[in-house]
DNA sequence: TGCATCTTCTTAGTATACTAAGATAATGCT
DNA sequence: AGCATTATCTTAGTATACTAAGAAGATGCA
């Protein structure tokens, strides 16, 4: 048996039916691996994707603001953006109104990539939710969000 | 403003309402960060936790079998187990029936930790699902599992 | 204007987990 | 018994993302 069969893997997943944390880990990892497989050929890695995606929505924002929107640390953002800049996907400019800030802009190339890569999200999303009704997907999002909110509050209160 | 307020962070989360992948990332990260905060004082890191947890269910299994059950790569398992061994949480012994295998056993210390640390899972789980009915939690697990299964199939078919 | 303050960004070090490639050692067929 | 095969485990290198600490530079009050 060269690799584990699909039935084997499914059995492994069921072993965690009692843990939402593990299920979330599997969902997250499956999503990003599948997406990376589809975006790699365009020179976009798993780590760059969230930044690109957010910048397609709005660019010309500061690194700190970008970190906030992606719920990332400033250090993580700084390292990732260095990579994106080296790939020619972004360029940075000092904010004239507050020259402490560096504003991040997409290059024309990165902007054009949106047309190619945004459908990828929809593809992955469609594959992931195959067999689920729109109502079920909506319910899932709602439940996930309530969990995120619960845990954020927990973390918040344990800090104070 | 020293750190972003809770309202700020909630706003950031909502920016991803359309992406199950991001919600899963947030859920996974929130879970493991909160759990790590609670287990660190017992010398158990986020990376060691899954192995310990699986071994509490059953130890005396090979490293490869452990990898399979946790959906981890063998290399990842090998590195993590080296750490667990150094911490005195596991020891390894050659399988007599097939001496190519190394079987992994919990130490008495690690076994005793279960009593202290298993309640932590339940605590985190309870915090995460606060305000959700048992039916909603069950429905959430079912939906997440269907997504994992969908993505596993996708990955499987794209490999062949 | 000058200096303290504040924001923003970067560097350094660490943890987790991946892939690829190879070492090791037992198994089992001829 | 010998040797090819196989399973298992390890090493090396890379990617992602964290925390802590600090540099750099702009702001704004005295």
């Amino acid at each position: 048996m060269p690799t584990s069969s699909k039935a084997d893997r499914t059995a492994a997943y069921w072993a965690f039916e009692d843990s939402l944390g593990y299920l979330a880990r599997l969902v997250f990892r499956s999503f990003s691996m599948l997406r990376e497989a589809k975006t790699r050929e365009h020179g976009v890695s798993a780590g760059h994707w969230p930044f690109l995606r957010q910048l397609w929505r709005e660019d010309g924002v500061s690194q700190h603001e970008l970190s906030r929107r992606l719920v990332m640390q400033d250090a993580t953002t700084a390292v990732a953006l260095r990579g994106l800049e080296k790939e020619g996907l972004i360029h940075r400019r000092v904010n004239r109104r507050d020259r402490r800030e560096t504003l991040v802009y997409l290059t024309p190339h990165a902007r054009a990539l949106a047309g190619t890569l945004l459908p990828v999200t929809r593809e992955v999303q469609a594959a992931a939710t195959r067999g689920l009704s729109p109502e079920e997907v909506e319910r899932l999002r709602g439940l996930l969000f309530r969990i995120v909110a619960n845990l954020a509050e927990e973390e918040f209160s344990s800090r104070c």
Side-chain angles (χ1 to χ4, degrees), chain A residues 15-16 37 76 110-111 128 130 138 142:
Chain A
F16 292 107
T76 303
R111 213 176 292 278
R130 196 177 51 235
E138 218 31 68

Side-chain angles (χ1 to χ4, degrees), chain A residues 62-103:
Chain A
S62 72
Q63 297 196 191
H64 183 67
E65 174 60 19
L66 209 47
S67 302
R68 196 188 65 76
R69 292 189 185 177
L70 293 171
V71 195
M72 295 268 189
Q73 299 299 308
D74 287 339
T76 303
T77 300
V79 174
L81 289 181
R82 200 185 306 147
L84 283 161
E85 192 163 48
K86 198 152 68 180
E87 299 277 331
L89 293 167
I90 61 155
H91 57 90
R92 291 182 268 192
R93 204 178 298 155
V94 166
N95 186 355
R96 286 185 193 170
R97 293 198 290 174
D98 182 341
R99 301 179 46 178
R100 292 173 297 188
E101 282 188 359
T102 305
L103 302 183

Side-chain angles (χ1 to χ4, degrees), chain A residues 31 47 58 70 74 80 88 111 125 142 147 150:
Chain A
F31 255 96
E58 185 189 354
L70 293 171
D74 287 339
R111 213 176 292 278
Q125 201 86 190
I147 287 188
N150 276 343

Side-chain angles (χ1 to χ4, degrees), chain A residues 35 39 44-54 56 117 120-121:
Chain A
R35 198 183 50 224
T39 57
V44 178
S45 72
H48 289 173
W49 175 265
F51 295 94
L52 212 45
R53 190 160 185 277
Q54 180 59 48
W56 283 329
L117 296 184
V120 167
T121 316

Side-chain angles (χ1 to χ4, degrees), chain A residues 21-33 128 144:
Chain A
Y22 278 111
L23 276 173
R25 163 178 169 255
L26 287 173
V27 168
F28 165 57
R29 256 191 12 188
S30 308
F31 255 96
S32 55
M33 282 176 145
L144 285 176

Side-chain angles (χ1 to χ4, degrees), chain A residues 124-142:
Chain A
V124 175
Q125 201 86 190
T129 57
R130 196 177 51 235
L132 275 69
S133 70
E135 293 75 32
E136 283 178 313
V137 174
E138 218 31 68
R139 207 181 300 150
L140 175 58
R141 279 193 193 123

